[in-house]
Amino acid sequence: MVMTDKQQEKKLLQQQVGEEDYRKVVEELPVGILSCDREGNVLDINKFLLELLGSPSAEASIKKINMLTFPSVVESGMSATVRKTLENGTINSIQIPYYSIWGKSLFLRFKTLPHYGTAGDIIGCYCIVEDATKTIETEEALERKLRKEKLIAQVSSRLINSTLIDIDTDIRIALKNMANFLNAEHTAIYSGNSDQEYLTRMYEWHAEDVSSYVRNNEKVRKNVWLTDHFDQYLTINIPDTEHFEGDRDMKDQFAKLHIVSAAIVPLYYRGTFKGSISIGSSTKKIRWSESDIYLSRLIGEMITSLVERKHTENHLLSKEMDYRQVINSIDTVIWKTDIDKNKNVTYFSVSASMDKILGLPEGSVGTDWKKYMSLIHPEDIKKVSDFVFLKGTGDKKSIEYRLISENGEVSWLSSNATVHLREDGSVQLVGTTRNITKQKLAEEELARSEKKYRSLVEQSSDGIFINRTDGQILDANGKACEIMGYTKEQLKQMSVVDLLIPELRPEGEKVMELLKVQRFIHGETKYLTRKGDIIDVEINASLLDGYKDITQAVVRDITERKRAEEAMLRAKVEAESANRIKSEFLASMSHELRTPLNSIIGFSDMLAEGYTGSLSETQQKYSQYISTSGKYLLTLINNILDIAKIESGKMELELEHFNLGEVFEDAGKLVGHLAKKKNIKLHVIEPENIELLADKIKVKQIIYNLLSNAIKFTPDNGRVTIIATASGDKVRVSVTDTGIGIAESDFDKLFMPFKQIDSQLSSQYSGSGLGLSIVKELVELHGGNVTIESEPGKGSTFTFTVPFSPP
């Protein structure tokens, strides 16, 4: 049975509605979807991925990006993943940072799946893209906080325990660790008093490829601007020295030293200005946060305190000052205790530094053993007593305990002692005591952070496992128990390999061995729950910093997502198959119809021209009707054939060099009679010296379609103008009319095949609804684009641009 035109149109519309429903599903998915052919050319991309990458349109993305050759895609590792899927038909995924050509900086989860043709061969690849930026940023922020707290504790411990010999080395190590944490290439300590005109560089660390700014012990003059900031305890933080407007001399100095970002923090010791600590970057612009500035100030003050101690101890060694005066001036407490054989304290002496720690007037403790014991925290009295009454010559012991000052403030102290046993049975203890309150506070803060981290782990929507590299599970959060259906105690009796479905367990053993080498793995697999259900999971596992054999694995249940992906892919395959069948049908029918139509047109023209004898007026009229209708139908069939070729990818360009003015002239002649019938003024402004390398016939078809369309929708006595101008590496052609105009809400419908924007206009202005669709496809085939400006009742301007030579 032969389908009527109405039946064909209805079937095509039904297919189109199905495609539109499919597109709606894809466009509403909260993940990026992209497809490409065997050569890596992008065929389709959904709205979510366009917005994620910052692309202005699907056309811009599809025309610019090849998944196998595009530079940023190759550099990110996504090309290798796509190539692997195209070659092997495997499902692959990676997690990588990516910088799109539209200025978006992201961290993506990228997954590829093969696209099989009807013959079972791989004809392309589907890519699923998820934005993992916020997750990574949250993890990085937590990791950075823990690293910062660990850095403070390490630097504090190193500097507090530094000896006179090791002070210089320890300070430089502290500066290096701080600079690495802040991503700086240079940091330095300058000393100076508030009444001096100069700062002296005391210590410096810089990266290997960065030159030293100032030599050791070199003096740098303080300008007025810098002095004013130091006097007001203000920190100088300059993320971009090129646009720094604070002080011209400093800006010139930054440029001379090639510093792009800098921060200068004043340092005070016991209320007195002692100098500054500076950090600088020569390779990248950095905006250091308040937390970063606080870290540099804290480490700078630790170093300043240590430097003060160094100065004091050097002074002691060089000038041989009075022993008592020296030990009373340094922060480290020196003490001595004599104990008789009956365990009675016969002598006790502690340096004045203890009074400073407790906030007491100098000499308050001195030699008063009972006074000192009364200040010890009640919970630590027994521990201190056991520590003091030691036995054994040469024994060295240490203890940490608390003191409570008279105002109730608690201080943490660390004491070390050497025991000397005398001949009469008495014992002498000589030792030192340091104030470790800041260190303890830092440790407590770190413990609180670890507790918060544990809370975050328990509240995580993903399962988290802590296990050894041999697979033995050591700990798991509540979500992990929920996913697998086991209690935490039951999981601790298992290996992570036991969670896999049986056929994947040998492969799981290999992955565990691979993890020991790579230190990180990411992938998808299948787990078997306690109830016997098989679930799909995504795993990110890595060795914990500071541990050789402890691994943390984050497991996400992606069973529902996998089902959704499979359903989506099935729908896409079905839609593409339907679209291909449609295109093949249109191409076949168009070829079949053109042969009899050519005969109809030819014989009707012969009748009208009198080759078979004279015709009556009525016969002449009918033969012209036959010829006109046949030619219109042939044009419609040719348009349908063009659309079918374009959609099936069989339309090819036959490139040649030609002058655009010749095409304008020919097109004007072709539509001239149409304009005369409606008394429309046709202005063809022929361009001069515009040469193109393009398909001349198709460019002529584009211009003819736009001109005939403008004439058709322009009322009698109107005006149609065509003009061309060169714009960069492209030529811009505009067709302007004084026709009925188009509402902006209908712009998207203009270029859809078989569509007219108003059903009421269909009867008034006959047409197939294919002209503008063909224009758009042919322009884009040349690497160009089409735009429209219009307003109802005031006419329209259609503009297309194509490059002077194909891309």
Side-chain angles (χ1 to χ4, degrees):
M1 183 177 67
V2 180
M3 297 176 64
T4 65
D5 290 348
K6 291 291 184 180
Q7 289 172 331
Q8 291 182 26
E9 182 176 352
K10 181 177 180 182
K11 183 174 181 181
L12 291 172
L13 288 172
Q14 288 173 343
Q15 292 174 347
Q16 186 169 346
V17 169
E19 289 182 41
E20 291 176 352
D21 289 341
Y22 159 72
R23 289 299 309 172
K24 289 178 182 178
V25 171
V26 174
E27 292 299 333
E28 291 301 319
L29 288 174
V31 294
I33 304 295
L34 177 148
S35 64
C36 65
D37 60 19
R38 284 282 301 179
E39 287 70 40
N41 299 310
V42 176
L43 303 177
D44 198 9
I45 184 170
N46 72 343
K47 181 173 67 176
F48 182 91
L49 186 52
L50 290 176
E51 294 174 352
L52 180 63
L53 298 177
S55 174
S57 65
E59 288 77 17
S61 302
I62 292 174
K63 292 298 179 183
K64 290 185 178 180
I65 295 177
N66 181 289
M67 296 302 292
L68 298 179
T69 62
F70 196 70
S72 61
V73 177
V74 173
E75 292 172 1
S76 68
M78 289 190 283
S79 289
T81 308
V82 172
R83 190 182 303 279
K84 187 175 180 182
T85 295
L86 291 174
E87 292 175 354
N88 304 326
T90 56
I91 298 174
N92 302 286
S93 60
I94 57 173
Q95 185 168 285
I96 41 85
Y98 184 73
Y99 305 92
S100 79
I101 61 174
W102 300 282
K104 296 293 284 295
S105 176
L106 304 160
F107 201 96
L108 303 177
R109 290 192 180 98
F110 182 79
K111 182 176 183 180
T112 57
L113 305 95
H115 175 199
Y116 293 96
T118 55
D121 55 334
I122 299 174
I123 62 173
C125 176
Y126 295 112
C127 306
I128 300 170
V129 185
E130 290 183 272
D131 184 6
T133 307
K134 290 185 178 179
T135 302
I136 297 301
E137 288 176 349
T138 301
E139 293 172 353
E140 289 178 348
L142 178 59
E143 180 188 3
R144 181 175 174 81
K145 184 176 186 332
L146 294 175
R147 284 178 52 216
K148 176 182 176 182
E149 293 165 346
K150 185 177 180 181
L151 173 63
I152 292 173
Q154 289 176 342
V155 171
S156 173
S157 177
R158 175 179 288 274
L159 295 183
I160 287 174
N161 292 286
S162 181
T163 65
L164 184 61
I165 297 175
D166 299 328
I167 282 179
D168 291 344
T169 300
D170 290 341
I171 289 176
R172 291 189 181 92
I173 291 174
L175 290 176
K176 175 184 177 181
N177 293 340
M178 181 190 76
N180 289 337
F181 180 84
L182 299 177
N183 295 318
E185 288 91 15
H186 180 273
T187 183
I189 293 286
Y190 292 83
S191 68
N193 297 322
S194 58
D195 59 342
Q196 292 179 332
E197 295 181 1
Y198 295 90
L199 292 172
T200 303
R201 201 204 75 177
M202 300 299 295
Y203 298 95
E204 179 197 46
W205 177 87
H206 59 81
E208 292 182 1
D209 54 347
V210 176
S211 300
S212 178
Y213 295 164
V214 183
R215 294 187 299 273
N216 271 337
N217 298 317
E218 181 176 349
K219 292 185 177 181
V220 179
R221 182 182 292 274
K222 291 192 297 183
N223 61 25
V224 175
W225 186 85
L226 192 63
T227 301
D228 288 343
H229 276 69
F230 285 171
D231 289 345
Q232 299 177 57
Y233 297 80
L234 297 178
T235 294
I236 299 167
N237 191 358
I238 309 170
D240 186 354
T241 59
E242 183 179 351
H243 297 92
F244 172 60
E245 300 298 335
D247 182 81
R248 185 65 190 178
D249 291 340
M250 289 193 66
K251 183 175 182 179
D252 293 342
Q253 189 70 7
F254 288 142
K256 179 181 177 182
L257 299 173
H258 305 291
I259 300 173
V260 297
S261 297
I264 304 173
V265 182
L267 301 176
Y268 296 84
Y269 183 76
R270 297 178 179 174
T272 302
F273 175 78
K274 288 296 182 181
S276 64
I277 182 171
S278 67
I279 52 178
S281 172
S282 301
T283 60
K284 53 187 173 296
K285 296 177 181 178
I286 302 174
R287 182 180 293 277
W288 285 291
S289 65
E290 289 296 327
S291 177
D292 295 335
I293 297 300
Y294 170 78
L295 173 65
S296 61
R297 177 183 288 109
L298 180 61
I299 293 177
E301 290 177 351
M302 290 181 189
I303 293 173
T304 301
S305 175
L306 188 61
V307 169
E308 290 295 315
R309 194 182 90 189
K310 173 186 175 181
H311 290 166
T312 303
E313 293 177 4
N314 279 333
H315 191 61
L316 169 66
L317 295 174
S318 62
K319 301 297 182 180
E320 297 183 355
M321 295 176 60
D322 178 77
Y323 171 75
R324 180 60 59 186
Q325 181 181 357
V326 173
I327 64 173
N328 289 342
S329 65
I330 61 176
D331 291 335
T332 300
V333 177
I334 298 176
W335 56 272
K336 184 174 69 170
T337 303
D338 291 341
I339 304 171
D340 65 19
K341 60 183 179 181
N342 296 320
K343 294 187 177 181
N344 296 312
V345 175
T346 58
Y347 176 79
F348 171 75
S349 176
V350 62
S351 64
S353 300
M354 182 60 71
D355 297 322
K356 297 176 185 177
I357 293 174
L358 295 169
L360 298 173
E362 186 174 341
S364 296
V365 178
T367 59
D368 192 340
W369 168 253
K370 292 183 178 180
K371 172 73 172 179
Y372 186 72
M373 289 298 293
S374 69
L375 298 172
I376 295 175
H377 194 288
E379 296 177 2
D380 296 337
I381 290 177
K382 184 178 185 305
K383 180 166 59 173
V384 172
S385 296
D386 292 342
F387 171 78
V388 170
F389 299 112
L390 297 171
K391 290 185 178 179
T393 300
D395 285 350
K396 294 183 178 180
K397 295 294 179 70
S398 61
I399 185 177
E400 292 181 359
Y401 59 99
R402 292 163 289 178
L403 291 182
I404 303 177
S405 64
E406 292 180 348
N407 63 5
E409 186 175 345
V410 177
S411 299
W412 273 95
L413 302 180
S414 174
S415 290
N416 297 283
T418 301
V419 182
H420 301 280
L421 183 62
R422 293 172 174 157
E423 293 181 359
D424 61 359
S426 64
V427 175
Q428 182 183 69
L429 281 78
V430 179
T432 59
T433 297
R434 294 179 293 107
N435 186 353
I436 60 170
T437 304
K438 288 185 178 180
Q439 176 183 335
K440 279 294 184 180
L441 292 176
E443 292 173 354
E444 290 173 1
E445 182 61 28
L446 180 60
R448 285 194 292 270
S449 295
E450 291 174 348
K451 185 176 181 181
K452 290 179 183 177
Y453 172 73
R454 183 66 194 181
S455 176
L456 288 173
V457 167
E458 287 301 326
Q459 295 174 17
S460 173
S461 58
D462 295 327
I464 298 177
F465 293 88
I466 303 296
N467 57 275
R468 291 200 300 265
T469 49
D470 63 2
Q472 179 62 48
I473 297 173
L474 303 176
D475 198 5
N477 69 346
K479 186 63 178 181
C481 298
E482 179 185 333
I483 292 174
M484 300 307 303
Y486 292 100
T487 65
K488 186 176 295 188
E489 289 69 27
Q490 289 172 329
L491 287 173
K492 288 182 179 180
Q493 304 301 314
M494 302 171 66
S495 166
V496 290
V497 177
D498 298 334
L499 304 178
L500 295 166
I501 59 176
E503 54 267 35
L504 292 180
R505 289 171 186 170
E507 183 67 22
E509 296 285 358
K510 296 178 181 178
V511 171
M512 294 304 296
E513 292 299 320
L514 183 63
L515 177 59
K516 296 177 183 178
V517 179
Q518 294 186 349
R519 300 185 62 84
F520 174 82
I521 58 169
H522 168 78
E524 295 180 2
T525 188
K526 295 183 181 293
Y527 274 180
L528 183 66
T529 69
R530 186 184 181 189
K531 293 181 179 179
D533 298 327
I534 297 176
I535 61 174
D536 290 290
V537 295
E538 179 183 67
I539 300 176
N540 290 280
S542 60
L543 289 178
L544 289 178
D545 289 342
Y547 297 90
K548 294 182 179 179
D549 63 344
I550 303 298
T551 298
Q552 175 177 279
V554 179
V555 177
R556 176 175 295 179
D557 185 349
I558 58 171
T559 305
E560 293 301 321
R561 192 186 80 190
K562 296 283 285 186
R563 290 173 181 170
E565 290 173 359
E566 291 171 0
M568 179 194 68
L569 290 176
R570 284 196 298 271
K572 184 170 181 64
V573 169
E574 292 172 0
E576 289 178 346
S577 176
N579 188 58
R580 185 177 62 256
I581 293 170
K582 177 201 73 175
S583 297
E584 292 173 354
F585 169 76
L586 289 176
S588 175
M589 291 302 297
S590 298
H591 280 293
E592 293 297 326
L593 291 172
R594 282 204 301 179
T595 301
L597 272 176
N598 285 327
S599 298
I600 293 171
I601 294 169
F603 285 119
S604 62
D605 287 343
M606 290 175 63
L607 287 172
E609 293 173 6
Y611 283 98
T612 59
S614 301
L615 299 178
S616 65
E617 183 178 347
T618 300
Q619 290 172 332
Q620 183 75 21
K621 181 179 178 181
Y622 287 166
S623 63
Q624 288 176 349
Y625 283 162
I626 294 171
S627 178
T628 301
S629 298
K631 289 176 181 177
Y632 171 76
L633 185 55
L634 182 59
T635 300
L636 175 61
I637 291 171
N638 285 334
N639 286 341
I640 293 174
L641 183 58
D642 285 342
I643 288 293
K645 283 182 179 180
I646 292 170
E647 291 187 349
S648 63
K650 295 179 180 179
M651 178 70 77
E652 297 181 354
L653 298 178
E654 297 182 5
L655 302 178
E656 60 178 301
H657 289 281
F658 62 90
N659 189 291
L660 187 60
E662 298 174 2
V663 175
F664 269 44
E665 182 181 356
D666 293 345
K669 291 177 181 178
L670 287 173
V671 299
H673 69 286
L674 299 176
K676 287 180 181 179
K677 286 182 181 180
K678 302 178 69 175
N679 196 28
I680 291 174
K681 293 181 180 179
L682 178 62
H683 295 280
V684 179
I685 304 174
E686 297 181 9
E688 296 182 3
N689 300 324
I690 293 183
E691 296 285 337
L692 291 179
L693 175 60
D695 190 317
K696 184 177 180 180
I697 294 176
K698 290 180 175 58
V699 172
K700 186 183 295 185
Q701 184 178 357
I702 293 168
I703 294 173
Y704 173 80
N705 283 3
L706 289 176
L707 286 174
S708 60
N709 200 66
I711 293 170
K712 179 169 66 173
F713 290 100
T714 298
D716 293 354
N717 303 312
R719 184 175 65 256
V720 174
T721 304
I722 180 170
I723 187 171
T725 56
S727 177
D729 61 347
K730 296 181 179 180
V731 62
R732 178 186 179 91
V733 180
S734 297
V735 175
T736 303
D737 63 58
T738 58
I740 60 176
I742 306 162
E744 186 175 352
S745 59
D746 292 324
F747 284 3
D748 292 340
K749 302 177 185 176
L750 283 174
F751 301 104
M752 296 175 63
F754 307 104
K755 282 282 187 178
Q756 287 198 352
I757 59 176
D758 190 336
S759 59
Q760 295 180 354
L761 296 176
S762 300
S763 58
Q764 183 178 354
Y765 302 99
S766 61
S768 63
L770 293 173
L772 290 178
S773 176
I774 292 174
V775 165
K776 179 177 181 293
E777 297 291 350
L778 292 181
V779 168
E780 291 180 352
L781 198 59
H782 280 82
N785 67 298
V786 184
T787 59
I788 178 175
E789 296 177 9
S790 185
E791 187 175 342
K794 295 185 179 181
S796 306
T797 297
F798 285 83
T799 301
F800 72 90
T801 60
V802 292
F804 285 107
S805 58

